[in-house]
Amino acid sequence: MALFGNYDTPGRGVLKTPHEKKGFFKFWEIYGRHMWKLMELNLLYFLFCLPLFAAVILSLSTYNPYWLVLCIPGTVIGPATAAMTRVARNFSQERPAFVMHDFFKAFKTNFKQGMAMGVIDNIFVIWFIVGIPVYKSLAEQNSMMYIPFVISLACMLTFFMMHFYIYQMMCSTNLTMGQILKNSLFLVNLGIKQTIWTLLVSLIVMGLTYMFMPYTYFIIPFFPMTFIAFVACFNCYPVIRKHVIQPYYDQRGELNPEDAAAIAAPGEALFVDKAAEETPVKKAEKAKKARTIR
């Protein structure tokens, strides 16, 4: 018998990732490995959000309508969000990523769709800001108005959850904006477990950030945005891969480039693991005579 186990038994041989963790523990392992880079990414994204924060403060201090002040910076944040999501997705899927290079490359590549999504976000935000308080006040006078009030809340929540998929598909596929919105609506339901978990984490992070203000002012530039994006990518990108990306290659009869077997060329392997095909090694019988030590 070997000191740490019996290696005479045929089988898979040495695992490629013998200590790979699953689920919750795998998330923190990957996040911890890229935490400082994600903080750097959060700071970069925060700089793009500064005009929006300034616009919010200006609108509150001068009593300007939200949509007149927030539309322009809110629109520009779209491409920045797509760029931030691209880098966070690469980190979550253990792909090589360079924060500055990949961010600005994705910003340029997804600029048009990001701007379009920024406009759509503005429209929905205006609707929610105006509609929900109006329906709530009307519902207090007429109970029938609770129906449009609840519908508005459900639409707001669904639209928020769609963002877990929108920007990931934007930076991972060549789909049109209409196809991205349609697919994201379906994926919210197809990956309901991953969607709900991501929603809960997002609400907890945003709630704690708001509750502990102004102390969290020092944390916002480095933590919350990319943490939420990382959670969304870790949970929801496998759903996109399963229901959007993989069917594309299956339909064309091609291998998915994300699969390691498709990336590695036949001649690139250092050796072929055929341990499962081996026959058990017969243990040598003990020699009756003492062996000579050399």
Side-chain angles (χ1 to χ4, degrees), residues 41 81 84-85 88-89 92 168 198 202 224-235:
L41 176 64
T81 303
M84 183 262 293
T85 302
R89 185 212 64 183
S92 71
Q168 290 193 65
T198 305
S202 302
M225 285 88 82
T226 52
F227 181 79
I228 293 174
F230 185 86
V231 171
C233 293
F234 183 86
N235 286 336

Side-chain angles (χ1 to χ4, degrees), residues 17-30 234:
T17 54
H19 303 295
E20 183 180 0
K21 299 178 176 65
K22 300 293 183 181
F24 179 82
F25 298 100
K26 182 178 181 180
F27 169 85
W28 287 110
E29 180 184 11
I30 298 175
F234 183 86

Side-chain angles (χ1 to χ4, degrees), residues 164-205:
F164 301 154
Y165 301 94
I166 289 174
Y167 286 103
Q168 290 193 65
M169 281 190 286
M170 188 182 298
C171 64
S172 303
T173 67
N174 294 323
L175 298 176
T176 64
M177 199 67 242
Q179 292 171 328
I180 289 175
L181 292 173
K182 180 180 177 181
N183 287 341
S184 63
L185 181 59
F186 286 117
L187 291 174
V188 166
N189 298 294
L190 291 174
I192 188 64
K193 180 180 177 181
Q194 294 86 342
T195 303
I196 294 299
W197 276 115
T198 305
L199 175 65
L200 290 176
V201 173
S202 302
L203 293 178
I204 290 172
V205 172

Side-chain angles (χ1 to χ4, degrees), residues 4-54:
F4 297 107
N6 184 4
Y7 295 99
D8 294 335
T9 304
R12 292 179 57 193
V14 180
L15 296 175
K16 296 179 177 60
T17 54
H19 303 295
E20 183 180 0
K21 299 178 176 65
K22 300 293 183 181
F24 179 82
F25 298 100
K26 182 178 181 180
F27 169 85
W28 287 110
E29 180 184 11
I30 298 175
Y31 181 81
R33 196 178 307 136
H34 303 291
M35 183 179 66
W36 296 108
K37 289 295 182 181
L38 286 166
M39 292 175 66
E40 179 184 343
L41 176 64
N42 196 101
L43 180 60
L44 180 59
Y45 182 67
F46 176 77
L47 296 177
F48 281 86
C49 295
L50 278 178
L52 179 61
F53 295 152

Side-chain angles (χ1 to χ4, degrees), residues 125-138:
V125 168
I126 292 171
W127 173 30
F128 297 140
I129 289 177
V130 175
I132 291 179
V134 169
Y135 288 133
K136 182 180 179 182
S137 61
L138 292 175

